[in-house]
Amino acid sequence: MNIQIPDHISAIKKYQPGKTIPQLQEEFGWAKVAILWNNENTLGYSSKSKEAVLKAYEQINYYPDPISIDLREKLAKKLGRPKDQIILGNGSESVLMLAIRALCSGDDEFLTSGGSFVIIYNWARINNVRCVSMPLTESYGFDLDAIKSRINRNTKIIYLANVNNPTGTMISKAELEDFMQNVPDHILVIVDEAYFEFSHSLHEDFPNSLEMDYDNLLTLRTFSKAYGIAGVRLGFAVGHEKVIESMSKTKLTFEPTALAQAAGLGALDDTDFLSKTIENNIEGLKYFTSEFSRIGVQFVPSFGNFAMTVWKDQNEVERVFNDLMKKGVLVRPLAGSLEHCIRISVGRPEENEHLVHSLENL
Ligand SMILES: Cc1ncc(COP(=O)(O)O)c(C=O)c1O
């Protein structure tokens, strides 16, 4: 093959897909299974979302609304921000990609922390943008001082995940305000609040970045977690009109799909499902906290819908992962500087119990 692949694409490691759940089920023959590896909503999804998707399905021979006007208007009302400050995409990962594509060129740098959401590093590299990562603090949080001290004239975007995935650590309201006041306003600060609905209910000092007034702040949110519609891909960003307009120029024309837009509209109508999800998470994290302490599993206090457990080393992680897999408990071993850790999502009560009993019997 004589086609030249650009260096910045060749340098990216190929995605290594694992086995699918049906394949694993066949291999291990589990009597019961707990799917706790992707921070999904294991309570399912809203019935209102399903109704809206089934209705939209009747129209799938037509292209979707390219500007998602109904959903943007509904979000605008809910969030108290003008619709021109909102853009929707195929998940918040796509919206992050739009921001990088729209804003970065030449020597611009993307500055963030190591030990964060794995996809962000690739999105920067795919766009040929230099990605600079500062180490996490000893308590596995974003080191905002280190990030500030690394700002240089090439820094174009700073990415903060609040809460951070996979560590579950949070940046407080005061810390975020202080950071915003000290970052030059020609740098876009992206605050990824994928777990906002959970975090907000877990800590009174959890900041809502949508209430902060900075032109250079872009908030990311998703429907994949608390709203339970990860499979249809829907996320959004809220920020200054000019940034949003530039991002919309780089968007796929018909992103997000008609089914995703419908699912989002239905999901926003179902406050009961959202409350149940949040309640299940509060109880699940309480259960993890007491049971992990009882059986001696070390973990980092979390403000998301998951907890990061800490083990001796990568060998122990592999052993625990394989043993849990045999018992039908799917968890996420981590990589890089966190290869001694395993992230475990909060599931339904019976899944959480299956996890704890399996850990106990390792
Ligand atoms: C911090 C963070 N941001 C974004 C996402 C991606 O969400 P989406 O499904 O909307 O692309 C995730 C998913 O795990 C995440 O943990």
Side-chain angles (χ1 to χ4, degrees), residues 40-41 69 81 88 100 105 111 121 228 272 278:
E40 292 146 340
N41 189 333
I69 190 69
R81 295 282 288 260
L88 284 137
I100 298 173
S105 63
L111 174 59
Y121 311 104
D272 279 354
I278 291 170

Side-chain angles (χ1 to χ4, degrees), residues 68 75-76 131 133 150 167 171 205 244 299 309 311:
S68 307
L75 280 171
C131 180
S133 309
R150 180 57 182 75
T167 61
I171 299 167
D205 193 29
I244 297 296
F299 64 99
T309 56
W311 304 84

Side-chain angles (χ1 to χ4, degrees), residues 39-55:
N39 301 346
E40 292 146 340
N41 189 333
T42 55
L43 286 190
Y45 50 83
S46 150
S47 56
K48 293 193 176 167
S49 221
K50 182 175 177 179
E51 271 168 39
V53 169
L54 292 180
K55 198 159 162 229

Side-chain angles (χ1 to χ4, degrees), residues 177-321:
E177 276 288 358
D178 178 72
F179 187 78
M180 289 307 301
Q181 279 167 21
N182 286 290
V183 168
D185 62 5
H186 62 269
I187 297 173
L188 181 76
V189 179
I190 297 182
V191 180
D192 184 343
E193 295 178 345
Y195 301 92
F196 178 79
E197 296 78 6
F198 299 113
S199 322
H200 195 51
S201 68
L202 289 165
H203 199 294
E204 59 191 19
D205 193 29
F206 189 82
N208 178 354
S209 65
L210 292 180
E211 289 170 356
M212 294 169 68
D213 188 19
Y214 295 93
D215 288 351
N216 63 326
L217 175 61
L218 185 78
T219 303
L220 303 188
R221 297 265 178 100
T222 183
F223 281 85
S224 299
K225 308 296 176 184
Y227 289 103
I229 54 175
V232 290
R233 313 303 299 125
L234 186 67
F236 63 96
V238 185
H240 190 276
E241 284 89 346
K242 251 178 128 173
V243 172
I244 297 296
E245 187 187 73
S246 307
M247 288 168 66
S248 71
K249 291 179 188 169
T250 73
K251 182 176 92 61
L252 294 177
T253 313
F254 295 111
E255 171 184 9
T257 67
L259 299 187
Q261 292 180 38
L265 283 163
L268 287 178
D269 280 338
D270 200 341
T271 47
D272 279 354
F273 177 74
L274 186 63
S275 305
K276 272 189 207 130
T277 295
I278 291 170
E279 195 49 38
N280 181 66
N281 192 57
I282 294 173
E283 292 306 314
L285 278 180
K286 268 192 213 154
Y287 177 74
F288 278 7
T289 304
S290 64
E291 292 299 288
F292 288 172
S293 307
R294 181 179 66 81
I295 61 181
V297 170
Q298 216 192 316
F299 64 99
V300 178
S302 169
F303 301 95
N305 68 341
F306 55 90
M308 188 174 80
T309 56
V310 181
W311 304 84
K312 199 169 82 209
D313 54 28
Q314 196 181 3
N315 288 337
E316 190 173 41
V317 161
E318 262 171 42
R319 243 184 358 257
V320 172
F321 170 74

